[in-house]
Amino acid sequence: MTDKTPSSVPEAEDAPRGDDAPRGEDIPREQDAPREGDAPPEGDAPPGSGAPAGRPVVQVSPAVHKRLTTGLGGFALAMGACLLLVLAIYAATPRSDEEILPTVDYSSQLWAMTNDAPYTAYAPEGLPAAWRPTSSRLHGLGEGGGEPVAWHLGFLTPSDEYAALEQSDEKASEYIPRMANSSKPTGTMQVNGQTWTKYHRKDKHANTLALTVPGGPSLVVTGTATYEELAILAGSLKPQTGKDAPLVPSGAATPRS
């Protein structure tokens, strides 16, 4: 009896047949493989580039790529361009440093002081039209006598300086130095036969004339105006004694008997 032991040699059907064997033309040749540094064929995008197929790819240097993709650098360039544009607009825009002060009508404050103040109020009469009233404020009126009554009346003078009338029944030794920004008189000045005390505050460019009316208020004319202009304002002040006086336009008050 003969043993039919399987042979270690593969059977004929496991070996590749002639028709299945690779042919020479199917084996890639070394010269057909892309070499390092070769540009990709036209119309083909490099793998992983994300560029649509069929479109040309623009090659940029690493330095250019960094400038285009770095967020902080691009932001800085954009902000610099905006700043230059703003500066150009600012330089081309006409500007004026002159402060425009409003013109006020102080007739209602004049009426209130004439009729309700606990003392005889004073107001300018006959000032030239170039004296423009720019501010008017009352303080303490209607408080039932609990505090001093004061009236501030500010003007722009013909020389474009500031001059103000300040009056109050506050104690003169306290009120006048505070309004004058100084407690040291520098002399006197005669205005319409009355002696006014002069004050000067150099660091504030402030000139002041002050007068205390016997039995009445303290009057202070002060500002950056010259003493000559302050004297014009001081000389125009008249007592407002009429009760239930009618309202009149600012700067056009007439003497009351």
Side-chain angles (χ1 to χ4, degrees):
M1 177 178 293
T2 304
D3 290 334
K4 297 182 179 180
T5 304
S7 174
S8 59
V9 179
E11 296 183 358
E13 58 268 24
D14 294 331
R17 294 185 295 271
D19 294 336
D20 297 330
R23 295 185 294 272
E25 59 271 15
D26 296 331
I27 299 175
R29 292 172 296 179
E30 183 177 356
Q31 60 270 23
D32 296 332
R35 293 186 300 272
E36 183 178 357
D38 288 348
E42 184 177 357
D44 293 338
S49 65
R55 294 186 180 180
V57 177
V58 178
Q59 298 290 330
V60 296
S61 66
V64 174
H65 181 270
K66 183 176 181 180
R67 288 198 300 269
L68 294 176
T69 58
T70 302
L72 183 60
F75 176 77
L77 288 175
M79 289 299 296
C82 291
L83 180 60
L84 290 175
L85 179 61
V86 170
L87 290 176
I89 295 175
Y90 178 80
T93 302
R95 297 175 303 279
S96 175
D97 295 331
E98 181 180 357
E99 183 180 5
I100 305 301
L101 297 175
T103 299
V104 301
D105 182 354
Y106 61 86
S107 59
S108 59
Q109 287 86 1
L110 172 61
W111 185 92
M113 288 294 293
T114 300
N115 290 279
D116 298 331
Y119 55 84
T120 299
Y122 282 71
E125 294 180 2
L127 273 179
W131 285 72
R132 188 163 62 87
T134 58
S135 58
S136 179
R137 295 186 298 272
L138 298 180
H139 179 77
L141 197 63
E143 299 293 333
E147 58 182 295
V149 173
W151 182 21
H152 158 86
L153 182 58
F155 289 90
L156 188 68
T157 72
S159 62
D160 288 333
E161 297 293 341
Y162 178 70
L165 164 64
E166 310 284 355
Q167 61 184 297
S168 174
D169 58 351
E170 183 181 345
K171 190 177 180 179
S173 60
E174 298 177 359
Y175 181 72
I176 292 177
R178 189 172 73 253
M179 294 297 102
N181 287 299
S182 175
S183 59
K184 298 179 179 180
T186 59
T188 60
M189 187 172 188
Q190 293 293 314
V191 180
N192 291 349
Q194 293 181 310
T195 302
W196 291 68
T197 303
K198 297 173 63 175
Y199 296 84
H200 178 67
R201 181 70 180 267
K202 184 176 181 180
D203 59 335
K204 292 183 177 293
H205 306 285
N207 299 317
T208 301
L209 296 175
L211 173 70
T212 299
V213 179
S218 295
L219 304 177
V220 179
V221 288
T222 184
T224 59
T226 63
Y227 287 112
E228 288 72 22
E229 282 190 314
L230 293 179
I232 293 174
L233 177 58
S236 71
L237 299 180
K238 299 295 186 293
Q240 310 298 303
T241 58
K243 292 295 183 180
D244 299 321
L247 288 175
V248 294
S250 296
T254 55
R256 294 172 173 79
S257 57

